[in-house]
Amino acid sequence: MTDSDYYAVLGVDAKAPPEVIKAAYHALARKYHPDTNPGTPLLGTQFQEITRAHEILSDPLRRAAYDVSREAARARQAPP
């Protein structure tokens, strides 16, 4: 798993419904797609991260697993 917060990558709340996640992905994909921004190699990396976030959050089982691991990571980082 990556250190990225997939909800933050897409700019949505963790409780966002699938329609909101899909809309956010489409808006960001249009903005950061390498074909719409030739000559900007860093956008390709951002586009890949956006795509990965969408792949995880658009699948209910993968999203549930991600949410569990995300909460566990936050619990480990919380001060005692």
Side-chain angles (χ1 to χ4, degrees):
M1 185 170 77
T2 182
D3 291 338
S4 295
D5 179 343
Y6 291 145
Y7 293 106
V9 168
L10 294 180
V12 298
D13 185 70
K15 304 274 188 223
E19 303 82 33
V20 171
I21 290 171
K22 183 177 180 179
Y25 166 71
H26 283 282
L28 291 170
R30 279 191 301 273
K31 181 177 181 180
Y32 291 105
H33 196 283
D35 289 347
T36 60
N37 298 287
T40 313
L42 292 179
L43 290 184
T45 303
Q46 288 175 323
F47 180 75
Q48 289 174 348
E49 187 173 24
I50 291 163
T51 301
R52 178 71 177 153
H54 179 256
E55 288 172 353
I56 298 297
L57 298 181
S58 65
D59 180 302
L61 293 176
R62 292 171 82 184
R63 181 177 181 178
Y66 172 74
D67 287 343
V68 168
S69 65
R70 180 176 178 249
E71 287 304 315
R74 285 183 173 195
R76 284 191 303 272
Q77 293 175 352

